[in-house]
Every structure is written in C-alpha cells, then in structure tokens.
Amino acid sequence: MPTISVGRDRLFAAIGKTYTREEFEGLCFRFGIELDDVSTEKAIIRKEKHLEEEEDGDDEEVLYKIEVPANRYDLLCLEGIAQALRIFNGLQEMPTYKVVNISRKSMIKMHVKPETSSIRPYVLCAVLRGIKFDEVTYNSFIDLQDKLHQNICRRRTLVAIGTHDLDTLHGPFTYEALPPSSINFVPLKQEKNFRADELMGFYKSDLKLKKFLHIIENSPVFPVIYDYKRTVLSLPPIINGAHSAITLKTKNVFIECTATDLTKAKIVLNTVVTTFSEYCERKFEIEPVEVIYSDGKSVVYPDLSFYNMEVPLSYITGAIGVPLEADEVTSLLNRMQLCAKQSVSGDCNSNITVSVPPTRNDVLHPCDVMEDVAIAYGYNNIKDITIAKGYNVSKGRAVSLKPLRLEEFSHLIRLEMAMCGFTEVLSFILCSLNDNFAMLNHEGDSSNAVIIENPRSSENETARTSLMPGILKTIGQNKAHPKPIKIIHGLVERIMLVIGLVPPDDNTTFYLKPSDDPEFVMGTQASIIYKGKRIGTSGIVHPEVLNKFDIPDPCAYFELSIQCFF
Amino acid sequence: MAEEAILGYLAKNQEIADSGEFAAQHGLNHDDVVNVVKSLHGFRYVDAQDIKRETWVLTDEGKTYAASGSPEVQLFLAIPPEGIPLEELQKKLDPLLFKIGRAQAAKNKWVEMGKQLVSRKVQHVDDTVKDLLLQIEGGKVINQDDIKVLKGRKLIATQTWNGYSVRKGPEYAPQRKKFAADLTREMLQSGEWKNLEFKEYNFNAKGQPIEGGHLHPLNKVRHQLRMIFLQMGFEEMPTDRFVESSFWNFDALFQPQQHPARDSHDTFYMKVPAITKELPEDYVERVKRVHESGGYGSRGYEYDWNRDEAIKNLLRTHTTAISTRMLYLLAQKPFTPKRYFSIDRVFRNEAVDRTHLAEFHQIEGLICDKGLTLGDLIGVLHDFFSRLGMSKLRFKPAYNPYTEPSMEIFSYHEGFGKWVEVGNSGMFRPEMLLPMGLPEDVRVIAWGLSLERPTMILYGINNIRDLFGHKVDLGLIKTNPICRLGVD
C-alpha cells in the first residue's frame, strides 16, 4: 500500500476542519485509509541519521504519514485526500471537471512519429492554464508525479510523466524515436549539453535515475519530445530538459505522459490534471491537446468523460444485507465521489444510475459501487443488524462432512509418534541447494528438486526433497539440549503396525530393503518398500553428513511418505 | 538406639537438661543424639532448646604433645647426663621440635647451652604441658593462667559445643510412628497400609521430569483451528501443492499482470520447472477476456493480457490459489453451496525479520452460496474470531484486487490496550467467480489470517524465528502449554 506524507495543519485547513489525532484516526478508519505515523520533518531527518531523540520544537510542522489503497491514485497527494474527506464529510459536492471547449484549430498539437511504436507508442497531453503555485503546492505537484511513477506507472515502465513551463516552449510538438547519438540537450538539474547515449552513461551513477535506464537502454532508438524549435522537452522515461523546467513562477503547465499502456496513461494524465486544476485560474478546467498520429488519426486528451453504470438497488442492498432506500443509496454514493441518481427500470425495480468520474478509475463493476455504499453506510454499522439476527448459519453448510484424509491421517501419525516419545519439529520447506544435496553427501545432484529463479538469499534456493536437512539443522542448532533427542528413530515397524500393516516378514505389503544412499552409513540403511515402491528411507546418518551439520552425536534417521497410503 | 533412649527417658522424666551429659551417661555418640533430637523436634515429639558452650580443644600440635610429650621435655630427655655437643643433639631431634624445645627448656632454665656441650641443669623435670593438655582432652577444667600459656603457644583453641535441653513436645509418644515413603504392592497385599501413615511430600521440590513425546506449538494451534472450522461446518481443502502457476495464483483471481504483488520482489518464481504446460483453455480464454475487456458487468482492466505471464510457475503466495481451484471445480458441476477452509504454507520473497519469514501458514475460510451478504460475512467473522477469544471486532475498508467489498479485521487486544489487525476478508469479485462458470447470484465470502501471529500472541513469543524453523529451541517445544483455542 502506498503511503504519503502530508503536513497536518495544511491537511486540516484543506479539509476545513481540525481534528485530534484520535478523531482523525477514526475518520481514516471509516473511510478506508490509515494514519500510519505522526512525525516532524526534523524527526524524520534525525531518524535517518540515527541521531538522538530531541524535543520537537513548537515551530516544527507535524507530518502525517497516511496509507492509501493501492488502486486509489486520486488519493496520492494532499489535495486528493482532502477533497475525498471533504466530500465524505458532506462539506463539499463532487466538482465537475471540464475540458475547455476550444476549436481543434486552436488546440496545441502533438505529432507522433511512427518510429515511437517500437519503443513507447503512446503520448497523451494536456495543459493547466493560469495555475498558481506556492512552495507547498509545487512540492505536492512534484510528489504526486513521483508517487504515480512508483505505483500505477510501475517505476516508469508503463507510463512516465513530464511537466513543462509552456511559456518557454513553442508548439506544435513532436514525439519521436531517434538514435541516441542524434539527441542532444541540457537535462534537468544540469548545465551542460549531453548526447543521449552519453547521458545514459552519466546517469549510471545517479541513485535515483539509474533504476529507469534499463527501460530504453538497449533500444536502437530513444523516445524524445521536441517543440517546434527543436528544444527537447523530455527524454522519456528518464529525464526532462532543463529548458522547460517548471518553477514556482510557472503559470501554464504543459503535461505529457508517454506510455506503453494506454489505459494507465489516461488514468495518470487524468489524475494529474483533475487534482491540480483546483489551483487553475478557472477552477477544474483543463485545456485539451490534440495528439496526431502519422496515419492522420487524431485523439484529443484529456478524456474526462464519466463512465455510466446502471446498478439495481436490489443488488446493492442484497449484497450488503441492509435494507436501504434509493435516496439513501444515492446520498451515500455522493459522499464517495460517485454521482448517483435514482432511476426506474421497465419492471418497476429501482435502479441507481451511477456516473463514475474520471478520478475514480478503481470503479470497474457494480460491486465497487456496492462497496462504496457499504463504506459510506459504515461497515461497523452493519454489525448491529447481523448480530441481532446472527449470520445465516445454514448458508453453504453441508449436511454431513468428510475430513480430508491426508490431514486426518498425518495428524494421527503425529500423535502416534509423539506417544512413542518423539518431539515434533517444524522445519522450513525452503532451503539451499547445498542443504538439500551436498550436505547430505549428494554432491552434484539436483534431480527431483524444484529450483527458485529469484531467491533473496541462498536459504531460499529450492524446496526440500526430504525432511532430512531441516531435522539435522534443528539438531545442529540444539547441541546443548540433553540427549537423547528423539526426533526420529527406528519407528518404522511401529508406524506400519498402527497403519495396520503386517510386520516385515510378509514381503507382499512392505519390507526393508538394504540400500546404498550416501547420506547413511553402509550396512545400516534400508529403503522402505511398499507395494513394490520405495516410500521411505532409514539408516544411521553418515558421519560426514553429521560433521557438515555440526552434530557431535550419532543420529538414526527415518523418513516415510504417507501419501501412498491412500 | 538414641531415639529409644530419649523418648524412653522422657516417659519417666521431665527433662533432659543437657544432651551432652545424657549422651555420656547412656554411652551414646553425641552427634547421633543431636540428629535424633532435631528429627524428633521437627515432628514435634519433643521440644528442644539450644545449649551453646565454649570449650577448649587441642590443636593438631597440642594433640602431638599430648601423645608424645612437650618439645622441651623431649629435648631434655635427649640430653645424656654427661652432656652432648649441640650438633649431635640437633641430629637427634626434629628441627621444629628442637627449635621450640631449646627455647622452652632455656626459658625454664633446665639446660646449659655451653660452648662445647649442651648439658642438664636440673636432674628431673615434670612435663606439666603434657599433663595440662591431657586434662583438657579429658574435658577437665584448668586454671586461666595455664590456658593463657597453652593458648599463647597455639596448643589449644576454642570450640563451640552445641547441644540441647529436651522436653516432651505436643506430639510426644514413647515410640515414633512409622511413615512410609511409598505405597507398595506388598503393603496392599499384606494389608499393612492400614497401619501406615505416609511421609508428607515436599511440594516445593521439583518433580521428576517426565520423558515423553511433544507436539510443536504451531501445529497444536493449527489443530485447534481445524477443529473450529470443522465445528462450524467447513470442509478442508487439499492444499498439498506448493508450486503453482501464476494463472491460478494471480490471473484467475482477477489480479492484473502489472500488480505489484506479482513483482519478483514479492514472489518466488521457479527456474525449474519454469512454466505450466496444462491449463483449462476455455477458462483461460474467459479470464483473459475479463482482464482485457471485462464482461459480466465489468469494464475490465483494459490492457493486453499475456499468456506467457500466466504460465510462469511460482511458489504459491496465498492459499487462495487453492480456493480458486476448488471454486472452479465447483463451477463445473450443478451448483452446491460450500464452506471451505485450509491452513497451509505460503511463500513470499520478503526480507526476513522478527515478524516476517519467507514462508508462513495461511488460514483461510470461505462460504460459497446464493444470496450471501456483507452482513453474513461480518456474522461469520464474529462467530469464528470469538472462538479464538476475540469477541470485540471492527472492520476497516481496504483494497484487495479479488475482493469487493474488502474489510480488514481488527480486534481489541486487552493486553496491548489497542486495536490490532488480525486478518483480511471480503466478497470475491464477480470478475473472479463468473468466468469460472458459477451462477450469477452465487456469492463467496472469505477471510484469511496467518497462523503464526495468533500463535505468537498466544504463547508470548516475540520473534517468529523462535517459533518456526530450525533455530527453534527444542526446550520450547517440550514446555509449551496445551492450546485451548475453541475450548474455552
């Protein structure tokens, strides 16, 4: 779940209400976000530098770290959270975002060259006019892009955002894909001109940017955005040009999103423009940009249309289990930023017409609408009704049940073993290849084992193929424990007896057949054969194996697969 | 012997005034008398008062002189009447004895230390030192001047003598009752047990350790949870597969292919065997469609679904992969309602710390039926968690790709004095259920939690590695209490 850090006082000012910490936690809990931590800027820095705790000065701004659901991109900044809570509290209506109605002719244009299709085929743009930044909103604007890059943009692989001071540029723009050696510009935060291929080398040592290089590094062409005067806006998804960098004084912001995933690019662009259109001269209005492909097709962005859904009232109340009237449902939905109206379908059943705004891309299905009704109603208000009548005890209930044989059987065997004086251990399934093979004198063998592609440590290279490494590791770790440690010991016959098999003189069911496995001492070991199949092993553990597991005492070992008894 | 003598004496007499004298009179060893008095006193047959006396005893040196005479007398006797050269006299005696003897004899003016010869100055000497030592050894009292001398020569030292004066106690009897240590087979056969009283146990002493087998605490809790589910009418799902395809672990659950949980940072992918060869193709097609363009009333995620992503094998990250398979199987037959549960291992490619391991156990329960509501989910959660001792619950809206609504479950922990998250729950999304072929009005309510966390809280274990894995102390397994979840 993403967490975002916001100034408490600023947040309360934006919500239009002041809370105690407990009150705010309660509000978050009901809405479905979480106040994760309360701190101050200085305290965070102290923590990072491992400095001693100091008293917080009164002048330090208190920061709230808030965890938001991973599918709510609209809540990735202070502006989004404040608006959502204002509406949730009934302090504000859902705003209507508007694409400024201008003629195609006067729209800013972005021309897409066909070469881009091989590396990063989509570009979407929009303009925020007459924006007023202060230091806090400016930082929030940058942070939101960062959060989007980290989350929905999957670290810029799917979408990358570039924001520019439009007044430094001259449209129309072009989105191209060119050989790196032919791209030259001064990147953001640098003063020198770089060739794109050199720039990639330069950023190899940049802690933040080096993580993104792999996205285009091995491509013969790099995506790049130029203005009419061949000024580089950005080299997506790596860096913007220094020329068009936005500042506190920027009034008109040009936003471009380049992408490999069109749907997510739309969501990202809509999230950025809707959230910050609040600071525009004409609130909630966004200027469109026409994107023109080389085949002549053109699309105008942003697409701020609402998605309409007809949801039967009975579906909502039936799934929540609380009887609600249509007007209650619509007002609950309005508090969740969904525009809802009551309508009546042909068969006189009440329907709710829901218009999902462009900020709520998480709403995919009527079940999402139903959830929002439940949240606004209050999950913890549903309780009272169900506790009174009890949940429907018959639902899903079978008349008679059978236990899972393997589980019951292994439980009975565990009890039997414990009754024989053995101690049960619970070892890991994950282990190193070394544990599973070389440590057991099976050097160079890795047959029958599954192998993990991306283990974080050698401890997690494979899933053990026998219980032996885990048990021997346990004994090795418990050297000080009084002996004998009875974890396992010549128990085969007892187990076979309680399973109901005759002793080993009858070779037709099971018997012990001398074996020559390297983990055991020769002559002391046998395979356990059941119905002609090897189902287990037993023997005295080889001294070399004991030595590898750092075990000073002799060990007898026995292992049996019980799955063959079904 | 001493016991009979003491109890017998007190039968006729008021008091034994001094245990020392009593021992001497009756020819008993005083130490034996003391031990018997202590024991009788303990059982209140007698009352005993301490007597302490300071007495003089011989030191080791004193004892030698008491036996073979004082050094000065030994030296005197070694000098023949005609005298003897010093060197020869020295040879006749032990060097220490010579040194002390010469000094004392000279002090008594018994000998003449001439230049040529050492000679006697008097004809006869009395060994008073030896006599005094013998008197002390015999328990006689001698005068203070003599004591001073002997003490100065370190031939005697003080010793505290402990004895008792003894009277009848409240439980006095002329003969002590016999206490049997154990009830034996012989006593039962002979009927002797009727005459016996048994020695009182010392309940403060530690008992003999019991040797026996032991079950692991996590498995004890697991068993109780299985019982709870079975008592609630839930059927156990077969979870004996750890390697799963991304399809069953993620795609079938409507978890988009770009979802962060599918990152290699969170999931163990398999190198061998890397891909799954067989999937139910018609179902795969429906899953692909619901991801790409929705259907069943959904918009879908609107991205290009990639089969190569879906066939990648992994170690299952949740047992919901099994629930999904079970629901798919259920959908292939005429619908029957079900209650399913499982408790088994899942794997996460996470950094290991005090509360996280790369593998842990997930507890999962689900109900699949027509007409289920969020109210039913809240109801079943109250039923389930109250059996775990958590009756104060509240629910927080949450996000999970395959449930809608989703609720995090919080329980008020009296000990911690706060609300703690204890699990997750929700209603499976139609985009997950309908492609399987389940009827449209079927809903599935489900919840999940880890086995380790409640076990750690229950057994007061702070570090998960002290509970699970090879670093666990066998002592912990042997001493942990029974798990009474679902019993109390």
Side-chain angles (χ1 to χ4, degrees):
Chain A
M1 297 280 159
T3 51
I4 65 156
S5 214
V6 296
R8 179 194 61 187
D9 299 345
R10 186 102 191 171
L11 177 69
F12 288 173
I15 298 173
K17 201 174 164 188
T18 305
Y19 296 87
T20 65
R21 179 178 171 166
E22 288 69 30
E23 287 167 349
F24 189 67
E25 271 171 341
L27 174 65
C28 290
F29 194 95
R30 291 193 299 278
F31 183 70
I33 57 181
E34 196 171 325
L35 180 58
D36 202 37
D37 196 17
V38 178
S39 189
T40 63
E41 191 88 48
K42 281 184 192 163
I44 292 168
I45 293 166
R46 277 202 298 275
K47 209 171 167 187
E48 274 169 6
K49 292 183 176 169
H50 304 288
L51 291 177
E52 289 290 309
E53 208 47 49
E54 271 172 56
E55 281 299 304
D56 291 335
D58 291 343
D59 55 331
E60 284 190 53
E61 198 192 0
V62 177
L63 294 179
Y64 273 4
K65 244 173 98 181
I66 299 174
E67 212 179 273
V68 304
N71 62 341
R72 290 296 298 269
Y73 313 112
D74 60 315
L75 302 180
L76 285 174
C77 61
L78 181 143
E79 287 77 7
I81 292 178
Q83 176 168 298
L85 292 178
R86 276 198 308 267
I87 296 170
F88 186 63
N89 285 339
L91 296 175
Q92 188 197 314
E93 300 258 310
M94 182 69 200
T96 311
Y97 301 106
K98 219 173 102 188
V99 178
V100 182
N101 194 4
I102 48 174
S103 69
R104 283 259 169 151
K105 243 179 140 182
S106 50
M107 268 183 213
I108 294 173
K109 294 188 171 46
M110 169 70 81
H111 293 277
V112 182
K113 294 281 163 74
E115 296 78 19
T116 54
S117 65
S118 68
I119 172 78
R120 206 170 176 86
Y122 305 108
V123 64
L124 288 69
C125 313
V127 174
L128 291 175
R129 289 271 178 199
I131 204 162
K132 252 197 200 128
F133 284 125
D134 62 21
E135 204 170 323
V136 179
T137 51
Y138 177 86
N139 287 338
S140 181
F141 188 61
I142 304 294
D143 286 348
L144 172 64
Q145 294 173 50
D146 225 39
K147 292 288 173 195
L148 288 166
H149 278 151
Q150 284 308 312
N151 293 283
I152 181 175
C153 304
R154 307 300 300 134
R155 292 184 287 278
R156 302 192 191 179
T157 52
L158 303 180
V159 189
I161 313 157
T163 53
H164 309 275
D165 188 335
L166 182 62
D167 298 328
T168 65
L169 298 165
H170 304 272
F173 302 99
T174 55
Y175 177 44
E176 309 179 20
L178 298 172
S181 56
S182 65
I183 304 169
N184 268 283
F185 70 110
V186 182
L188 199 63
K189 289 180 185 159
Q190 300 298 327
E191 279 165 9
K192 183 175 143 238
N193 200 63
F194 280 88
R195 223 170 64 192
D197 49 348
E198 291 164 353
L199 189 63
M200 298 297 273
F202 179 72
Y203 283 147
K204 284 233 165 14
S205 57
D206 186 298
L207 279 179
K208 189 183 169 202
L209 295 177
K210 68 176 181 187
K211 292 177 288 192
F212 308 119
L213 302 181
H214 73 97
I215 305 171
I216 56 167
E217 205 170 23
N218 298 320
S219 165
V221 287
F222 283 3
V224 58
I225 297 177
Y226 287 104
D227 79 347
Y228 178 67
K229 293 186 165 174
R230 300 304 285 171
T231 306
V232 169
L233 276 72
S234 64
L235 184 76
I238 312 297
I239 191 80
N240 288 346
H243 177 85
S244 56
I246 60 163
T247 65
L248 282 171
K249 290 186 193 119
T250 299
K251 285 196 180 62
N252 300 307
V253 182
F254 180 74
I255 301 157
E256 39 91 0
C257 294
T258 56
T260 55
D261 183 316
L262 182 59
T263 311
K264 292 197 174 53
K266 287 181 189 170
I267 295 172
V268 169
L269 182 68
N270 286 352
T271 305
V272 175
V273 297
T274 52
T275 310
F276 281 87
S277 62
E278 184 186 335
Y279 298 117
C280 286
E281 207 172 348
R282 292 158 73 170
K283 251 186 163 186
F284 306 125
E285 285 194 10
I286 297 108
E287 182 181 313
V289 173
E290 185 181 14
V291 176
I292 304 161
Y293 287 87
S294 53
D295 61 3
K297 262 200 257 169
S298 92
V299 197
V300 175
Y301 292 107
D303 175 6
L304 297 178
S305 59
F306 280 52
Y307 178 80
N308 291 318
M309 249 186 226
E310 282 289 308
V311 186
L313 177 64
S314 57
Y315 169 78
I316 294 172
T317 55
I320 300 173
V322 176
L324 289 170
E325 297 301 325
D327 56 341
E328 288 177 276
V329 169
T330 52
S331 71
L332 290 173
L333 285 173
N334 290 337
R335 282 178 51 207
M336 300 304 289
Q337 307 182 49
L338 297 178
C339 308
K341 281 200 303 272
Q342 183 182 356
S343 62
V344 177
S345 61
D347 47 7
C348 287
N349 289 329
S350 237
N351 269 5
I352 308 292
T353 305
V354 182
S355 300
V356 182
T359 47
R360 289 297 308 275
N361 298 282
D362 58 299
V363 177
L364 303 176
H365 185 277
C367 70
D368 298 295
V369 175
M370 178 262 288
E371 184 190 58
D372 274 3
V373 174
I375 293 172
Y377 180 78
Y379 280 180
N380 297 295
N381 296 330
I382 301 171
K383 180 175 64 180
D384 302 330
I385 294 158
T386 50
I387 280 192
K389 75 173 189 201
Y391 76 103
N392 200 337
V393 286
S394 66
K395 284 282 179 209
R397 195 157 194 151
V399 177
S400 94
L401 280 183
K402 277 186 187 161
L404 192 63
R405 291 176 75 198
L406 179 63
E407 277 300 326
E408 281 305 318
F409 187 81
S410 56
H411 175 65
L412 294 172
I413 296 289
R414 288 170 55 233
L415 293 182
E416 190 63 39
M417 300 271 289
M419 283 188 276
C420 291
F422 292 86
T423 296
E424 182 183 38
V425 299
L426 200 62
S427 62
F428 294 136
I429 282 161
L430 299 174
C431 65
S432 68
L433 285 163
N434 188 44
D435 287 344
N436 202 53
F437 296 107
M439 292 282 275
L440 301 179
N441 277 358
H442 281 269
E443 201 79 53
D445 183 2
S446 64
S447 52
N448 299 325
V450 299
I451 298 169
I452 293 165
E453 169 85 47
N454 58 333
R456 246 175 228 251
S457 79
S458 64
E459 294 270 284
N460 303 334
E461 287 170 342
T462 186
R464 56 168 170 49
T465 53
S466 85
L467 299 175
M468 200 168 191
I471 284 190
L472 293 183
K473 277 202 258 182
T474 305
I475 296 178
Q477 289 283 336
N478 277 278
K479 282 200 286 288
H481 197 81
K483 304 291 176 310
I485 298 171
K486 270 177 144 185
I487 292 176
I488 244 113
H489 178 75
L491 196 61
V492 189
E493 279 165 34
R494 172 76 192 153
I495 295 300
M496 289 305 190
L497 180 76
V498 298
I499 294 170
L501 298 175
V502 283
D505 48 35
D506 174 8
N507 282 1
T508 57
T509 50
F510 92 95
Y511 62 97
L512 298 175
K513 182 182 162 193
S515 59
D516 57 354
D517 293 318
E519 63 268 39
F520 297 116
V521 174
M522 285 300 278
T524 68
Q525 51 168 311
S527 294
I528 303 161
I529 310 290
Y530 174 71
K531 288 184 176 169
K533 257 176 77 182
R534 180 179 139 128
I535 60 160
T537 53
S538 76
I540 302 295
V541 179
H542 198 283
E544 282 169 19
V545 174
L546 292 177
N547 185 39
K548 288 176 193 171
F549 283 94
D550 196 19
I551 298 171
D553 301 293
C555 288
Y557 180 86
F558 141 59
E559 176 168 338
L560 189 66
S561 162
I562 57 170
Q563 266 169 307
C564 56
F565 298 117
F566 302 105
Chain B
M1 226 170 66
E3 186 171 305
E4 281 164 34
I6 292 165
L7 292 174
Y9 185 85
L10 286 178
K12 291 168 205 145
N13 301 282
Q14 272 282 315
E15 185 189 44
I16 297 169
D18 185 308
S19 60
E21 283 164 24
F22 181 81
Q25 281 162 20
H26 292 79
L28 296 167
N29 179 323
H30 187 247
D31 288 343
D32 292 345
V33 171
V34 164
N35 285 336
V36 168
V37 168
K38 277 186 190 162
S39 165
L40 289 171
H41 181 74
F43 287 94
R44 318 216 299 168
Y45 282 91
V46 299
D47 277 335
Q49 298 289 329
D50 287 334
I51 302 173
K52 273 191 186 172
R53 272 202 298 273
E54 297 271 296
T55 58
W56 293 102
V57 292
L58 304 191
T59 62
D60 287 347
E61 193 183 351
K63 280 178 193 158
T64 356
Y65 303 162
S68 18
S70 63
E72 54 270 35
V73 171
Q74 288 190 50
L75 180 118
F76 181 83
L77 294 175
I79 303 168
E82 65 275 15
I84 186 169
L86 186 66
E87 296 82 43
E88 274 184 46
L89 179 63
Q90 208 166 346
K91 274 179 209 156
K92 285 172 88 171
L93 294 166
D94 173 88
L96 189 65
L97 199 77
F98 173 76
K99 197 183 151 200
I100 300 168
R102 186 171 74 164
Q104 290 297 330
K107 199 172 146 198
N108 293 349
K109 303 199 169 76
W110 287 351
V111 293
E112 177 73 52
M113 306 295 273
K115 284 208 169 146
Q116 302 294 319
L117 291 173
V118 179
S119 54
R120 296 181 176 185
K121 246 178 152 174
V122 291
Q123 286 307 308
H124 174 78
V125 294
D126 289 322
D127 200 342
T128 41
V129 168
K130 181 181 170 180
D131 293 344
L132 287 167
L133 288 172
L134 284 171
Q135 280 179 44
I136 286 168
E137 208 171 28
K140 299 238 168 61
V141 182
I142 59 169
N143 78 48
Q144 284 300 310
D145 290 344
D146 290 335
I147 289 210
K148 216 174 169 185
V149 171
L150 294 179
K151 200 183 153 195
R153 287 182 66 179
K154 292 191 177 122
L155 301 181
I156 58 169
T158 51
Q159 192 186 51
T160 312
W161 179 90
N162 288 307
Y164 295 103
S165 72
V166 186
R167 289 165 165 272
K168 279 182 191 169
E171 304 281 323
Y172 173 80
Q175 203 173 12
R176 202 206 283 241
K177 278 179 237 155
K178 268 192 193 160
F179 289 99
D182 284 305
L183 181 61
T184 65
R185 182 187 169 87
E186 287 70 26
M187 292 170 191
L188 292 173
Q189 279 175 343
S190 66
E192 191 199 348
W193 62 269
K194 290 175 197 155
N195 308 321
L196 293 174
E197 284 188 42
F198 290 87
K199 200 177 160 187
E200 274 182 38
Y201 282 173
N202 175 5
F203 292 104
N204 294 322
K206 260 196 163 174
Q208 284 282 329
I210 299 292
E211 282 306 318
H214 308 272
L215 296 177
H216 193 280
L218 204 61
N219 276 341
K220 289 187 192 176
V221 178
R222 181 172 186 268
H223 181 70
Q224 289 311 112
L225 280 157
R226 285 185 65 226
M227 291 298 111
I228 288 171
F229 274 116
L230 292 170
Q231 285 150 12
M232 289 171 69
F234 283 69
E235 194 176 333
E236 191 161 13
M237 295 185 276
T239 47
D240 50 337
R241 53 160 74 230
F242 298 139
V243 177
E244 195 50 273
S245 64
S246 296
F247 179 79
W248 287 109
N249 196 81
F250 292 127
D251 295 282
L253 281 79
F254 197 53
Q255 196 144 338
Q257 294 190 326
Q258 303 83 9
H259 193 276
R262 299 181 71 149
D263 259 21
S264 59
H265 298 281
D266 296 288
T267 301
F268 288 117
Y269 285 95
M270 308 310 300
K271 187 151 90 185
V272 181
I275 58 160
T276 289
K277 296 198 179 88
E278 265 182 64
L279 289 172
E281 289 307 328
D282 54 334
Y283 176 46
V284 170
E285 191 50 42
R286 293 195 295 274
V287 168
K288 172 185 158 80
R289 269 207 313 271
V290 78
H291 277 246
E292 289 189 335
S293 54
Y296 316 100
S298 175
R299 299 167 79 169
Y301 291 121
E302 297 174 74
Y303 71 99
D304 292 328
W305 185 85
N306 185 352
R307 190 192 161 84
D308 292 343
E309 237 359 274
I311 58 173
K312 280 184 184 170
N313 283 334
L314 45 77
L315 289 177
R316 69 166 176 232
T317 62
H318 49 190
T319 49
T320 319
I322 300 291
S323 312
T324 307
R325 282 176 176 272
M326 296 300 286
L327 289 170
Y328 172 75
L329 288 177
L330 199 63
Q332 307 317 302
K333 293 175 288 189
F335 180 72
T336 41
K338 282 284 178 191
R339 292 182 175 203
Y340 280 135
F341 83 95
S342 67
I343 309 171
D344 207 352
R345 232 173 275 206
V346 296
F347 304 86
R348 304 274 168 92
N349 198 4
E350 280 184 356
V352 171
D353 60 31
R354 293 179 73 81
T355 53
H356 293 86
L357 287 174
E359 55 190 287
F360 60 95
H361 293 77
Q362 188 186 339
I363 304 165
E364 184 164 345
L366 68 85
I367 305 179
C368 172
D369 205 345
K370 295 182 179 181
L372 284 167
T373 69
L374 200 54
D376 289 315
L377 175 58
I378 290 171
V380 75
L381 292 175
H382 275 290
D383 186 0
F384 177 80
F385 281 96
S386 68
R387 289 167 194 255
L388 307 189
M390 302 178 206
S391 43
K392 245 168 131 182
L393 298 182
R394 61 177 198 174
F395 306 98
K396 174 178 168 282
Y399 167 66
N400 183 5
Y402 50 91
T403 55
E404 190 83 7
S406 309
M407 306 196 302
E408 276 174 11
I409 309 157
F410 285 73
S411 157
Y412 190 77
H413 191 285
E414 298 291 345
F416 300 161
K418 61 173 186 182
W419 292 91
V420 289
E421 197 195 329
V422 292
N424 261 299
S425 67
M427 246 180 210
F428 284 162
R429 292 189 72 100
E431 291 99 322
M432 170 181 173
L433 300 178
L434 297 179
M436 293 173 175
L438 284 169
E440 221 177 297
D441 51 351
V442 166
R443 294 201 191 104
V444 176
I445 53 177
W447 74 100
L449 60 155
S450 89
L451 176 63
E452 281 75 2
R453 198 167 144 72
T455 305
M456 285 166 74
I457 294 174
L458 210 57
Y459 286 95
I461 295 167
N462 294 322
N463 188 338
I464 194 166
R465 286 165 288 197
D466 292 337
L467 174 68
F468 182 16
H470 57 267
K471 288 186 177 152
V472 170
D473 175 17
L474 289 173
L476 170 107
I477 301 176
K478 293 187 173 182
T479 54
N480 66 83
I482 53 169
C483 172
R484 307 200 300 188
L485 281 188
V487 180
D488 294 334

